[in-house]
Amino acid sequence: MNKFLLFATLLLSATAVNLARYGPITEDVVEDTNWSSCGDSSYKLTVTSLTFTPNPPVVGQDVTIVAVGSSSENINGGNIHINLAYGPIVLLNNSFPLCSMISGLGVSCPLTQGPHTFKVQQNIPNGVPTGQYTAQVTAVDDSGNNLVCVNANFTLGGGSSFRKPTLDARRGMPKK
């Protein structure tokens, strides 16, 4: 899991160079992280809680993400798909082996039936751009049956109060 987080962090950092042209900071924004389940009763994993600490996450600080849920049956393997975007820019849209991903959290396959808590802590480097991010995480088992679907929206801050660029309505581009 740490390799994946490093990969996502590197993508975010690389994006910062292209986002530097987005112009002056003009509007205060502080928003909490929100999430929702996009699965239905046929999904084998149910997420009951997803928390970010601090909320909102802050550039230059550690963020701890805790997911709590339960599995309706044992899960031997499968794939997890992660789509991460910064505004309209897709940063990550890839699938990974489920067992490899959860092994980085100290959990091994088979994932047993019953309650589970997954916790990951990661530093957000100073070069990562602040702003609105969206993520969708889905997973299927080895037979292709749906396991879980979670949507998350969060604003990455630059401190206790941070700003976002204001769009130029004529061009749909950030003001310079």
Side-chain angles (χ1 to χ4, degrees):
M1 183 69 172
N2 287 338
K3 290 180 182 177
F4 162 72
L5 290 173
L6 177 61
F7 176 68
T9 301
L10 290 174
L11 283 174
L12 291 172
S13 298
T15 304
V17 174
N18 292 327
L19 298 172
R21 65 182 170 87
Y22 279 9
I25 296 170
T26 59
E27 186 179 340
D28 285 338
V29 177
V30 176
E31 298 176 10
D32 289 336
T33 301
N34 62 65
W35 69 277
S36 63
S37 174
C38 41
D40 59 34
S41 61
S42 69
Y43 284 59
K44 298 177 184 178
L45 290 171
T46 303
V47 177
T48 56
S49 171
L50 182 67
T51 59
F52 287 62
T53 306
N55 187 6
V58 179
V59 171
Q61 295 182 13
D62 287 349
V63 62
T64 301
I65 304 169
V66 178
V68 177
S70 63
S71 175
S72 62
E73 60 185 65
N74 290 343
I75 298 168
N76 295 316
N79 287 299
I80 187 166
H81 186 87
I82 301 170
N83 184 302
L84 176 66
Y86 175 78
I89 303 166
V90 175
L91 302 172
L92 180 66
N93 189 17
N94 287 326
S95 294
F96 305 91
L98 177 65
C99 293
S100 296
M101 292 293 288
I102 66 172
S103 70
L105 301 174
V107 179
S108 61
C109 283
L111 186 63
T112 57
Q113 178 181 359
H116 296 281
T117 299
F118 298 100
K119 179 179 177 180
V120 63
Q121 184 173 0
Q122 180 68 37
N123 181 268
I124 303 172
N126 286 321
V128 175
T130 61
Q132 185 67 38
Y133 289 79
T134 58
Q136 183 177 66
V137 178
T138 58
V140 295
D141 66 15
D142 286 331
S143 300
N145 298 312
N146 291 325
L147 294 177
V148 70
C149 182
V150 174
N151 291 319
N153 298 298
F154 61 97
T155 300
L156 187 57
S160 61
S161 177
F162 61 94
R163 301 173 183 264
K164 71 176 181 181
T166 300
L167 292 181
D168 182 336
R170 294 171 292 160
R171 295 180 285 154
M173 296 296 295
K175 290 181 181 179
K176 295 193 178 204

